[in-house]
Amino acid sequence: MSLHETRQPVRSIIGPALGLAMILAAVSTGAGLRLGRAHDEGPLDDGSWTSVANGDRVQRLLRVDDTIWSATDGGGILRWSMETGEHRQFLAPQNGLRSNVVNDLARLPDGSIWAATDRGLAQWDDAGDRFINLTPTESPGMPARRVTALLASGDGALWVGFSQEWDPNLPHPTTGEPGAFAPGGLARYRPADDSWSDVFQATIVTDFQSSGFLDIPSDNVTRLAYGSDGLLWFGSKPYQMWDQTACDPCEPEDGAWIQVGGGLAAYDGET
């Protein structure tokens, strides 16, 4: 099993989904204050926090029958009825989300809806009328906290893409002092038994003949998709790696964080 880079050009496609995103953004622009309080018209509860945010920066749309779920940057999730025009906004913390930065949405074959947020993976709980969150602390085996991309597979599993984030308490990979970029990567999650498998993170391999990435070309995943060839396609952007090659010899603290990797890859181990 391996991942292969490709240098094929990527074309931009403008279609109905983009048009709908623009409509939703236009409708919600400036209305975030009203949306944030749509289900909380009374006074705020004493001793609790309630966030109020605009949902006008649409990052991803998910259509389920006549309902549009909209993932936004800083405005949580909006649920829109195309039939009636009614809408509702879900925010952190009052609706269960841990972050109002929502990067992607996906729906599994069992009908469950999942959200990729900057502070975990969230599942919509219809009975509880709120989102339930998963983080590495709550779901052992989850490789990172910042979730950036989702893709449902036909077997009921969920491919989950992550990205790096700065952790002031994480030991530095060379000096051991507090402060380093926590890894991101890619993993497969099975909700049926809350298990993680097929975890991939960027590792540079260099030998006397060539150099490259052992698996994925970056820890910062931007998009996941299945191709007509049946492969799992992986989009990424450069990630932060500690480098000490700029000086020789180097003390541990003489290196620097640099951006490396990124690009398009395909997983040929998918069944």
Side-chain angles (χ1 to χ4, degrees), residues 240-267:
Q240 299 285 343
M241 184 189 75
W242 183 257
D243 177 59
Q244 287 187 272
T245 61
C247 57
D248 185 21
C250 285
E251 295 296 326
E253 63 274 10
D254 290 338
W257 291 101
I258 63 170
Q259 289 193 330
V260 297
L264 186 64
Y267 182 44

mmCIF file with all atom_site columns, all heavy atoms in Angstrom, residues 240-267:
data_model
loop_
_atom_site.group_PDB
_atom_site.id
_atom_site.type_symbol
_atom_site.label_atom_id
_atom_site.label_alt_id
_atom_site.label_comp_id
_atom_site.label_asym_id
_atom_site.label_entity_id
_atom_site.label_seq_id
_atom_site.pdbx_PDB_ins_code
_atom_site.Cartn_x
_atom_site.Cartn_y
_atom_site.Cartn_z
_atom_site.occupancy
_atom_site.B_iso_or_equiv
_atom_site.pdbx_formal_charge
_atom_site.auth_seq_id
_atom_site.auth_comp_id
_atom_site.auth_asym_id
_atom_site.auth_atom_id
_atom_site.pdbx_PDB_model_num
ATOM 1   N N   . GLN A 1 240 ? 4.446  22.243 8.603  1.00 0.00 ? 240 GLN A N   1
ATOM 2   C CA  . GLN A 1 240 ? 5.609  22.735 9.329  1.00 0.00 ? 240 GLN A CA  1
ATOM 3   C C   . GLN A 1 240 ? 6.477  21.575 9.817  1.00 0.00 ? 240 GLN A C   1
ATOM 4   O O   . GLN A 1 240 ? 5.992  20.669 10.493 1.00 0.00 ? 240 GLN A O   1
ATOM 5   C CB  . GLN A 1 240 ? 5.165  23.572 10.535 1.00 0.00 ? 240 GLN A CB  1
ATOM 6   C CG  . GLN A 1 240 ? 4.355  24.804 10.181 1.00 0.00 ? 240 GLN A CG  1
ATOM 7   C CD  . GLN A 1 240 ? 5.198  25.922 9.602  1.00 0.00 ? 240 GLN A CD  1
ATOM 8   O OE1 . GLN A 1 240 ? 6.431  25.933 9.727  1.00 0.00 ? 240 GLN A OE1 1
ATOM 9   N NE2 . GLN A 1 240 ? 4.543  26.887 8.968  1.00 0.00 ? 240 GLN A NE2 1
ATOM 10  N N   . MET A 1 241 ? 7.775  21.624 9.468  1.00 0.00 ? 241 MET A N   1
ATOM 11  C CA  . MET A 1 241 ? 8.725  20.609 9.902  1.00 0.00 ? 241 MET A CA  1
ATOM 12  C C   . MET A 1 241 ? 9.963  21.309 10.466 1.00 0.00 ? 241 MET A C   1
ATOM 13  O O   . MET A 1 241 ? 10.416 22.323 9.925  1.00 0.00 ? 241 MET A O   1
ATOM 14  C CB  . MET A 1 241 ? 9.125  19.721 8.728  1.00 0.00 ? 241 MET A CB  1
ATOM 15  C CG  . MET A 1 241 ? 10.056 18.573 9.122  1.00 0.00 ? 241 MET A CG  1
ATOM 16  S SD  . MET A 1 241 ? 10.733 17.696 7.685  1.00 0.00 ? 241 MET A SD  1
ATOM 17  C CE  . MET A 1 241 ? 11.959 18.884 7.118  1.00 0.00 ? 241 MET A CE  1
ATOM 18  N N   . TRP A 1 242 ? 10.518 20.761 11.549 1.00 0.00 ? 242 TRP A N   1
ATOM 19  C CA  . TRP A 1 242 ? 11.729 21.337 12.139 1.00 0.00 ? 242 TRP A CA  1
ATOM 20  C C   . TRP A 1 242 ? 12.931 20.932 11.289 1.00 0.00 ? 242 TRP A C   1
ATOM 21  O O   . TRP A 1 242 ? 13.134 19.758 10.978 1.00 0.00 ? 242 TRP A O   1
ATOM 22  C CB  . TRP A 1 242 ? 11.915 20.852 13.569 1.00 0.00 ? 242 TRP A CB  1
ATOM 23  C CG  . TRP A 1 242 ? 13.088 21.464 14.267 1.00 0.00 ? 242 TRP A CG  1
ATOM 24  C CD1 . TRP A 1 242 ? 14.296 20.887 14.514 1.00 0.00 ? 242 TRP A CD1 1
ATOM 25  C CD2 . TRP A 1 242 ? 13.159 22.794 14.796 1.00 0.00 ? 242 TRP A CD2 1
ATOM 26  N NE1 . TRP A 1 242 ? 15.116 21.764 15.167 1.00 0.00 ? 242 TRP A NE1 1
ATOM 27  C CE2 . TRP A 1 242 ? 14.445 22.963 15.360 1.00 0.00 ? 242 TRP A CE2 1
ATOM 28  C CE3 . TRP A 1 242 ? 12.265 23.865 14.848 1.00 0.00 ? 242 TRP A CE3 1
ATOM 29  C CZ2 . TRP A 1 242 ? 14.862 24.131 15.964 1.00 0.00 ? 242 TRP A CZ2 1
ATOM 30  C CZ3 . TRP A 1 242 ? 12.670 25.041 15.450 1.00 0.00 ? 242 TRP A CZ3 1
ATOM 31  C CH2 . TRP A 1 242 ? 13.965 25.163 16.001 1.00 0.00 ? 242 TRP A CH2 1
ATOM 32  N N   . ASP A 1 243 ? 13.726 21.913 10.875 1.00 0.00 ? 243 ASP A N   1
ATOM 33  C CA  . ASP A 1 243 ? 14.842 21.671 9.968  1.00 0.00 ? 243 ASP A CA  1
ATOM 34  C C   . ASP A 1 243 ? 16.146 22.181 10.577 1.00 0.00 ? 243 ASP A C   1
ATOM 35  O O   . ASP A 1 243 ? 16.195 23.289 11.110 1.00 0.00 ? 243 ASP A O   1
ATOM 36  C CB  . ASP A 1 243 ? 14.581 22.382 8.633  1.00 0.00 ? 243 ASP A CB  1
ATOM 37  C CG  . ASP A 1 243 ? 15.739 22.222 7.667  1.00 0.00 ? 243 ASP A CG  1
ATOM 38  O OD1 . ASP A 1 243 ? 16.085 21.071 7.340  1.00 0.00 ? 243 ASP A OD1 1
ATOM 39  O OD2 . ASP A 1 243 ? 16.313 23.250 7.256  1.00 0.00 ? 243 ASP A OD2 1
ATOM 40  N N   . GLN A 1 244 ? 17.183 21.366 10.486 1.00 0.00 ? 244 GLN A N   1
ATOM 41  C CA  . GLN A 1 244 ? 18.500 21.758 10.992 1.00 0.00 ? 244 GLN A CA  1
ATOM 42  C C   . GLN A 1 244 ? 19.574 21.673 9.919  1.00 0.00 ? 244 GLN A C   1
ATOM 43  O O   . GLN A 1 244 ? 20.760 21.622 10.218 1.00 0.00 ? 244 GLN A O   1
ATOM 44  C CB  . GLN A 1 244 ? 18.897 20.878 12.175 1.00 0.00 ? 244 GLN A CB  1
ATOM 45  C CG  . GLN A 1 244 ? 18.132 21.190 13.452 1.00 0.00 ? 244 GLN A CG  1
ATOM 46  C CD  . GLN A 1 244 ? 18.687 20.416 14.630 1.00 0.00 ? 244 GLN A CD  1
ATOM 47  O OE1 . GLN A 1 244 ? 18.275 19.297 14.882 1.00 0.00 ? 244 GLN A OE1 1
ATOM 48  N NE2 . GLN A 1 244 ? 19.613 21.027 15.352 1.00 0.00 ? 244 GLN A NE2 1
ATOM 49  N N   . THR A 1 245 ? 19.168 21.674 8.660  1.00 0.00 ? 245 THR A N   1
ATOM 50  C CA  . THR A 1 245 ? 20.141 21.515 7.574  1.00 0.00 ? 245 THR A CA  1
ATOM 51  C C   . THR A 1 245 ? 20.772 22.837 7.151  1.00 0.00 ? 245 THR A C   1
ATOM 52  O O   . THR A 1 245 ? 21.681 22.855 6.324  1.00 0.00 ? 245 THR A O   1
ATOM 53  C CB  . THR A 1 245 ? 19.474 20.875 6.344  1.00 0.00 ? 245 THR A CB  1
ATOM 54  O OG1 . THR A 1 245 ? 18.411 21.739 5.883  1.00 0.00 ? 245 THR A OG1 1
ATOM 55  C CG2 . THR A 1 245 ? 18.890 19.519 6.693  1.00 0.00 ? 245 THR A CG2 1
ATOM 56  N N   . ALA A 1 246 ? 20.282 23.962 7.709  1.00 0.00 ? 246 ALA A N   1
ATOM 57  C CA  . ALA A 1 246 ? 20.798 25.267 7.283  1.00 0.00 ? 246 ALA A CA  1
ATOM 58  C C   . ALA A 1 246 ? 22.182 25.555 7.857  1.00 0.00 ? 246 ALA A C   1
ATOM 59  O O   . ALA A 1 246 ? 22.867 26.473 7.406  1.00 0.00 ? 246 ALA A O   1
ATOM 60  C CB  . ALA A 1 246 ? 19.826 26.377 7.680  1.00 0.00 ? 246 ALA A CB  1
ATOM 61  N N   . CYS A 1 247 ? 22.590 24.804 8.873  1.00 0.00 ? 247 CYS A N   1
ATOM 62  C CA  . CYS A 1 247 ? 23.906 25.036 9.457  1.00 0.00 ? 247 CYS A CA  1
ATOM 63  C C   . CYS A 1 247 ? 24.578 23.693 9.748  1.00 0.00 ? 247 CYS A C   1
ATOM 64  O O   . CYS A 1 247 ? 23.903 22.693 9.951  1.00 0.00 ? 247 CYS A O   1
ATOM 65  C CB  . CYS A 1 247 ? 23.793 25.861 10.741 1.00 0.00 ? 247 CYS A CB  1
ATOM 66  S SG  . CYS A 1 247 ? 22.724 25.114 11.991 1.00 0.00 ? 247 CYS A SG  1
ATOM 67  N N   . ASP A 1 248 ? 25.896 23.712 9.749  1.00 0.00 ? 248 ASP A N   1
ATOM 68  C CA  . ASP A 1 248 ? 26.639 22.475 9.998  1.00 0.00 ? 248 ASP A CA  1
ATOM 69  C C   . ASP A 1 248 ? 27.983 22.831 10.632 1.00 0.00 ? 248 ASP A C   1
ATOM 70  O O   . ASP A 1 248 ? 28.827 23.485 9.997  1.00 0.00 ? 248 ASP A O   1
ATOM 71  C CB  . ASP A 1 248 ? 26.856 21.721 8.691  1.00 0.00 ? 248 ASP A CB  1
ATOM 72  C CG  . ASP A 1 248 ? 27.508 20.365 8.912  1.00 0.00 ? 248 ASP A CG  1
ATOM 73  O OD1 . ASP A 1 248 ? 27.420 19.857 10.063 1.00 0.00 ? 248 ASP A OD1 1
ATOM 74  O OD2 . ASP A 1 248 ? 28.085 19.825 7.954  1.00 0.00 ? 248 ASP A OD2 1
ATOM 75  N N   . PRO A 1 249 ? 28.228 22.439 11.878 1.00 0.00 ? 249 PRO A N   1
ATOM 76  C CA  . PRO A 1 249 ? 27.292 21.688 12.733 1.00 0.00 ? 249 PRO A CA  1
ATOM 77  C C   . PRO A 1 249 ? 26.252 22.605 13.365 1.00 0.00 ? 249 PRO A C   1
ATOM 78  O O   . PRO A 1 249 ? 26.408 23.815 13.378 1.00 0.00 ? 249 PRO A O   1
ATOM 79  C CB  . PRO A 1 249 ? 28.214 21.094 13.797 1.00 0.00 ? 249 PRO A CB  1
ATOM 80  C CG  . PRO A 1 249 ? 29.298 22.134 13.919 1.00 0.00 ? 249 PRO A CG  1
ATOM 81  C CD  . PRO A 1 249 ? 29.518 22.676 12.523 1.00 0.00 ? 249 PRO A CD  1
ATOM 82  N N   . CYS A 1 250 ? 25.186 22.007 13.883 1.00 0.00 ? 250 CYS A N   1
ATOM 83  C CA  . CYS A 1 250 ? 24.089 22.772 14.477 1.00 0.00 ? 250 CYS A CA  1
ATOM 84  C C   . CYS A 1 250 ? 23.875 22.361 15.920 1.00 0.00 ? 250 CYS A C   1
ATOM 85  O O   . CYS A 1 250 ? 23.946 21.179 16.257 1.00 0.00 ? 250 CYS A O   1
ATOM 86  C CB  . CYS A 1 250 ? 22.787 22.527 13.729 1.00 0.00 ? 250 CYS A CB  1
ATOM 87  S SG  . CYS A 1 250 ? 22.657 23.358 12.143 1.00 0.00 ? 250 CYS A SG  1
ATOM 88  N N   . GLU A 1 251 ? 23.589 23.343 16.743 1.00 0.00 ? 251 GLU A N   1
ATOM 89  C CA  . GLU A 1 251 ? 23.069 23.053 18.059 1.00 0.00 ? 251 GLU A CA  1
ATOM 90  C C   . GLU A 1 251 ? 21.561 22.765 17.902 1.00 0.00 ? 251 GLU A C   1
ATOM 91  O O   . GLU A 1 251 ? 20.947 23.222 16.937 1.00 0.00 ? 251 GLU A O   1
ATOM 92  C CB  . GLU A 1 251 ? 23.281 24.241 19.000 1.00 0.00 ? 251 GLU A CB  1
ATOM 93  C CG  . GLU A 1 251 ? 24.738 24.554 19.288 1.00 0.00 ? 251 GLU A CG  1
ATOM 94  C CD  . GLU A 1 251 ? 25.420 23.414 20.025 1.00 0.00 ? 251 GLU A CD  1
ATOM 95  O OE1 . GLU A 1 251 ? 24.742 22.735 20.839 1.00 0.00 ? 251 GLU A OE1 1
ATOM 96  O OE2 . GLU A 1 251 ? 26.618 23.188 19.783 1.00 0.00 ? 251 GLU A OE2 1
ATOM 97  N N   . PRO A 1 252 ? 20.958 22.022 18.831 1.00 0.00 ? 252 PRO A N   1
ATOM 98  C CA  . PRO A 1 252 ? 19.534 21.691 18.698 1.00 0.00 ? 252 PRO A CA  1
ATOM 99  C C   . PRO A 1 252 ? 18.641 22.910 18.493 1.00 0.00 ? 252 PRO A C   1
ATOM 100 O O   . PRO A 1 252 ? 17.663 22.856 17.751 1.00 0.00 ? 252 PRO A O   1
ATOM 101 C CB  . PRO A 1 252 ? 19.218 20.985 20.022 1.00 0.00 ? 252 PRO A CB  1
ATOM 102 C CG  . PRO A 1 252 ? 20.518 20.392 20.441 1.00 0.00 ? 252 PRO A CG  1
ATOM 103 C CD  . PRO A 1 252 ? 21.561 21.373 20.004 1.00 0.00 ? 252 PRO A CD  1
ATOM 104 N N   . GLU A 1 253 ? 18.983 24.011 19.147 1.00 0.00 ? 253 GLU A N   1
ATOM 105 C CA  . GLU A 1 253 ? 18.130 25.192 19.055 1.00 0.00 ? 253 GLU A CA  1
ATOM 106 C C   . GLU A 1 253 ? 18.411 26.039 17.820 1.00 0.00 ? 253 GLU A C   1
ATOM 107 O O   . GLU A 1 253 ? 17.755 27.064 17.590 1.00 0.00 ? 253 GLU A O   1
ATOM 108 C CB  . GLU A 1 253 ? 18.289 26.059 20.307 1.00 0.00 ? 253 GLU A CB  1
ATOM 109 C CG  . GLU A 1 253 ? 19.678 26.633 20.513 1.00 0.00 ? 253 GLU A CG  1
ATOM 110 C CD  . GLU A 1 253 ? 20.608 25.684 21.249 1.00 0.00 ? 253 GLU A CD  1
ATOM 111 O OE1 . GLU A 1 253 ? 20.225 24.499 21.436 1.00 0.00 ? 253 GLU A OE1 1
ATOM 112 O OE2 . GLU A 1 253 ? 21.702 26.113 21.649 1.00 0.00 ? 253 GLU A OE2 1
ATOM 113 N N   . ASP A 1 254 ? 19.355 25.640 16.980 1.00 0.00 ? 254 ASP A N   1
ATOM 114 C CA  . ASP A 1 254 ? 19.734 26.450 15.824 1.00 0.00 ? 254 ASP A CA  1
ATOM 115 C C   . ASP A 1 254 ? 18.890 26.198 14.587 1.00 0.00 ? 254 ASP A C   1
ATOM 116 O O   . ASP A 1 254 ? 19.060 26.869 13.567 1.00 0.00 ? 254 ASP A O   1
ATOM 117 C CB  . ASP A 1 254 ? 21.209 26.200 15.455 1.00 0.00 ? 254 ASP A CB  1
ATOM 118 C CG  . ASP A 1 254 ? 22.158 26.780 16.488 1.00 0.00 ? 254 ASP A CG  1
ATOM 119 O OD1 . ASP A 1 254 ? 21.730 27.688 17.216 1.00 0.00 ? 254 ASP A OD1 1
ATOM 120 O OD2 . ASP A 1 254 ? 23.302 26.304 16.566 1.00 0.00 ? 254 ASP A OD2 1
ATOM 121 N N   . GLY A 1 255 ? 17.989 25.272 14.636 1.00 0.00 ? 255 GLY A N   1
ATOM 122 C CA  . GLY A 1 255 ? 17.149 24.979 13.478 1.00 0.00 ? 255 GLY A CA  1
ATOM 123 C C   . GLY A 1 255 ? 16.002 25.960 13.352 1.00 0.00 ? 255 GLY A C   1
ATOM 124 O O   . GLY A 1 255 ? 15.933 26.989 14.034 1.00 0.00 ? 255 GLY A O   1
ATOM 125 N N   . ALA A 1 256 ? 15.051 25.630 12.478 1.00 0.00 ? 256 ALA A N   1
ATOM 126 C CA  . ALA A 1 256 ? 13.890 26.492 12.255 1.00 0.00 ? 256 ALA A CA  1
ATOM 127 C C   . ALA A 1 256 ? 12.731 25.658 11.730 1.00 0.00 ? 256 ALA A C   1
ATOM 128 O O   . ALA A 1 256 ? 12.933 24.605 11.108 1.00 0.00 ? 256 ALA A O   1
ATOM 129 C CB  . ALA A 1 256 ? 14.227 27.596 11.268 1.00 0.00 ? 256 ALA A CB  1
ATOM 130 N N   . TRP A 1 257 ? 11.512 26.125 12.007 1.00 0.00 ? 257 TRP A N   1
ATOM 131 C CA  . TRP A 1 257 ? 10.334 25.502 11.416 1.00 0.00 ? 257 TRP A CA  1
ATOM 132 C C   . TRP A 1 257 ? 10.213 25.982 9.975  1.00 0.00 ? 257 TRP A C   1
ATOM 133 O O   . TRP A 1 257 ? 10.213 27.186 9.708  1.00 0.00 ? 257 TRP A O   1
ATOM 134 C CB  . TRP A 1 257 ? 9.067  25.874 12.191 1.00 0.00 ? 257 TRP A CB  1
ATOM 135 C CG  . TRP A 1 257 ? 8.986  25.274 13.563 1.00 0.00 ? 257 TRP A CG  1
ATOM 136 C CD1 . TRP A 1 257 ? 9.261  25.885 14.747 1.00 0.00 ? 257 TRP A CD1 1
ATOM 137 C CD2 . TRP A 1 257 ? 8.604  23.932 13.884 1.00 0.00 ? 257 TRP A CD2 1
ATOM 138 N NE1 . TRP A 1 257 ? 9.085  25.012 15.797 1.00 0.00 ? 257 TRP A NE1 1
ATOM 139 C CE2 . TRP A 1 257 ? 8.675  23.800 15.299 1.00 0.00 ? 257 TRP A CE2 1
ATOM 140 C CE3 . TRP A 1 257 ? 8.207  22.824 13.130 1.00 0.00 ? 257 TRP A CE3 1
ATOM 141 C CZ2 . TRP A 1 257 ? 8.363  22.621 15.961 1.00 0.00 ? 257 TRP A CZ2 1
ATOM 142 C CZ3 . TRP A 1 257 ? 7.900  21.641 13.787 1.00 0.00 ? 257 TRP A CZ3 1
ATOM 143 C CH2 . TRP A 1 257 ? 7.971  21.540 15.182 1.00 0.00 ? 257 TRP A CH2 1
ATOM 144 N N   . ILE A 1 258 ? 10.128 25.048 9.039  1.00 0.00 ? 258 ILE A N   1
ATOM 145 C CA  . ILE A 1 258 ? 9.999  25.400 7.625  1.00 0.00 ? 258 ILE A CA  1
ATOM 146 C C   . ILE A 1 258 ? 8.798  24.671 7.035  1.00 0.00 ? 258 ILE A C   1
ATOM 147 O O   . ILE A 1 258 ? 8.335  23.664 7.574  1.00 0.00 ? 258 ILE A O   1
ATOM 148 C CB  . ILE A 1 258 ? 11.264 25.032 6.825  1.00 0.00 ? 258 ILE A CB  1
ATOM 149 C CG1 . ILE A 1 258 ? 11.488 23.512 6.853  1.00 0.00 ? 258 ILE A CG1 1
ATOM 150 C CG2 . ILE A 1 258 ? 12.483 25.770 7.364  1.00 0.00 ? 258 ILE A CG2 1
ATOM 151 C CD1 . ILE A 1 258 ? 12.580 23.043 5.901  1.00 0.00 ? 258 ILE A CD1 1
ATOM 152 N N   . GLN A 1 259 ? 8.288  25.184 5.930  1.00 0.00 ? 259 GLN A N   1
ATOM 153 C CA  . GLN A 1 259 ? 7.165  24.549 5.242  1.00 0.00 ? 259 GLN A CA  1
ATOM 154 C C   . GLN A 1 259 ? 7.682  23.605 4.170  1.00 0.00 ? 259 GLN A C   1
ATOM 155 O O   . GLN A 1 259 ? 8.524  23.975 3.346  1.00 0.00 ? 259 GLN A O   1
ATOM 156 C CB  . GLN A 1 259 ? 6.252  25.596 4.622  1.00 0.00 ? 259 GLN A CB  1
ATOM 157 C CG  . GLN A 1 259 ? 5.451  26.394 5.641  1.00 0.00 ? 259 GLN A CG  1
ATOM 158 C CD  . GLN A 1 259 ? 4.348  27.184 4.996  1.00 0.00 ? 259 GLN A CD  1
ATOM 159 O OE1 . GLN A 1 259 ? 4.444  27.610 3.853  1.00 0.00 ? 259 GLN A OE1 1
ATOM 160 N NE2 . GLN A 1 259 ? 3.271  27.398 5.730  1.00 0.00 ? 259 GLN A NE2 1
ATOM 161 N N   . VAL A 1 260 ? 7.178  22.384 4.194  1.00 0.00 ? 260 VAL A N   1
ATOM 162 C CA  . VAL A 1 260 ? 7.571  21.373 3.205  1.00 0.00 ? 260 VAL A CA  1
ATOM 163 C C   . VAL A 1 260 ? 6.324  20.610 2.759  1.00 0.00 ? 260 VAL A C   1
ATOM 164 O O   . VAL A 1 260 ? 5.272  20.662 3.395  1.00 0.00 ? 260 VAL A O   1
ATOM 165 C CB  . VAL A 1 260 ? 8.600  20.377 3.781  1.00 0.00 ? 260 VAL A CB  1
ATOM 166 C CG1 . VAL A 1 260 ? 9.892  21.084 4.160  1.00 0.00 ? 260 VAL A CG1 1
ATOM 167 C CG2 . VAL A 1 260 ? 8.021  19.659 4.995  1.00 0.00 ? 260 VAL A CG2 1
ATOM 168 N N   . GLY A 1 261 ? 6.478  19.871 1.674  1.00 0.00 ? 261 GLY A N   1
ATOM 169 C CA  . GLY A 1 261 ? 5.427  18.966 1.231  1.00 0.00 ? 261 GLY A CA  1
ATOM 170 C C   . GLY A 1 261 ? 4.215  19.664 0.648  1.00 0.00 ? 261 GLY A C   1
ATOM 171 O O   . GLY A 1 261 ? 4.252  20.793 0.192  1.00 0.00 ? 261 GLY A O   1
ATOM 172 N N   . GLY A 1 262 ? 3.086  18.940 0.712  1.00 0.00 ? 262 GLY A N   1
ATOM 173 C CA  . GLY A 1 262 ? 1.854  19.423 0.122  1.00 0.00 ? 262 GLY A CA  1
ATOM 174 C C   . GLY A 1 262 ? 1.635  18.827 -1.269 1.00 0.00 ? 262 GLY A C   1
ATOM 175 O O   . GLY A 1 262 ? 2.553  18.306 -1.895 1.00 0.00 ? 262 GLY A O   1
ATOM 176 N N   . GLY A 1 263 ? 0.391  18.895 -1.738 1.00 0.00 ? 263 GLY A N   1
ATOM 177 C CA  . GLY A 1 263 ? 0.092  18.407 -3.067 1.00 0.00 ? 263 GLY A CA  1
ATOM 178 C C   . GLY A 1 263 ? -1.025 17.379 -3.087 1.00 0.00 ? 263 GLY A C   1
ATOM 179 O O   . GLY A 1 263 ? -1.806 17.246 -2.146 1.00 0.00 ? 263 GLY A O   1
ATOM 180 N N   . LEU A 1 264 ? -1.078 16.635 -4.165 1.00 0.00 ? 264 LEU A N   1
ATOM 181 C CA  . LEU A 1 264 ? -2.126 15.655 -4.424 1.00 0.00 ? 264 LEU A CA  1
ATOM 182 C C   . LEU A 1 264 ? -1.559 14.258 -4.379 1.00 0.00 ? 264 LEU A C   1
ATOM 183 O O   . LEU A 1 264 ? -0.459 14.006 -4.878 1.00 0.00 ? 264 LEU A O   1
ATOM 184 C CB  . LEU A 1 264 ? -2.741 15.934 -5.807 1.00 0.00 ? 264 LEU A CB  1
ATOM 185 C CG  . LEU A 1 264 ? -3.953 15.121 -6.239 1.00 0.00 ? 264 LEU A CG  1
ATOM 186 C CD1 . LEU A 1 264 ? -5.148 15.397 -5.319 1.00 0.00 ? 264 LEU A CD1 1
ATOM 187 C CD2 . LEU A 1 264 ? -4.312 15.441 -7.680 1.00 0.00 ? 264 LEU A CD2 1
ATOM 188 N N   . ALA A 1 265 ? -2.304 13.344 -3.759 1.00 0.00 ? 265 ALA A N   1
ATOM 189 C CA  . ALA A 1 265 ? -1.854 11.952 -3.672 1.00 0.00 ? 265 ALA A CA  1
ATOM 190 C C   . ALA A 1 265 ? -3.057 11.033 -3.746 1.00 0.00 ? 265 ALA A C   1
ATOM 191 O O   . ALA A 1 265 ? -4.204 11.468 -3.560 1.00 0.00 ? 265 ALA A O   1
ATOM 192 C CB  . ALA A 1 265 ? -1.089 11.721 -2.369 1.00 0.00 ? 265 ALA A CB  1
ATOM 193 N N   . ALA A 1 266 ? -2.818 9.765  -4.018 1.00 0.00 ? 266 ALA A N   1
ATOM 194 C CA  . ALA A 1 266 ? -3.889 8.777  -4.101 1.00 0.00 ? 266 ALA A CA  1
ATOM 195 C C   . ALA A 1 266 ? -3.503 7.531  -3.344 1.00 0.00 ? 266 ALA A C   1
ATOM 196 O O   . ALA A 1 266 ? -2.355 7.084  -3.388 1.00 0.00 ? 266 ALA A O   1
ATOM 197 C CB  . ALA A 1 266 ? -4.178 8.418  -5.562 1.00 0.00 ? 266 ALA A CB  1
ATOM 198 N N   . TYR A 1 267 ? -4.472 6.967  -2.630 1.00 0.00 ? 267 TYR A N   1
ATOM 199 C CA  . TYR A 1 267 ? -4.268 5.768  -1.817 1.00 0.00 ? 267 TYR A CA  1
ATOM 200 C C   . TYR A 1 267 ? -4.724 4.555  -2.608 1.00 0.00 ? 267 TYR A C   1
ATOM 201 O O   . TYR A 1 267 ? -5.901 4.441  -2.962 1.00 0.00 ? 267 TYR A O   1
ATOM 202 C CB  . TYR A 1 267 ? -5.064 5.919  -0.518 1.00 0.00 ? 267 TYR A CB  1
ATOM 203 C CG  . TYR A 1 267 ? -4.917 4.785  0.469  1.00 0.00 ? 267 TYR A CG  1
ATOM 204 C CD1 . TYR A 1 267 ? -3.686 4.221  0.755  1.00 0.00 ? 267 TYR A CD1 1
ATOM 205 C CD2 . TYR A 1 267 ? -6.040 4.297  1.126  1.00 0.00 ? 267 TYR A CD2 1
ATOM 206 C CE1 . TYR A 1 267 ? -3.565 3.207  1.682  1.00 0.00 ? 267 TYR A CE1 1
ATOM 207 C CE2 . TYR A 1 267 ? -5.934 3.269  2.059  1.00 0.00 ? 267 TYR A CE2 1
ATOM 208 C CZ  . TYR A 1 267 ? -4.698 2.726  2.327  1.00 0.00 ? 267 TYR A CZ  1
ATOM 209 O OH  . TYR A 1 267 ? -4.572 1.713  3.255  1.00 0.00 ? 267 TYR A OH  1
#
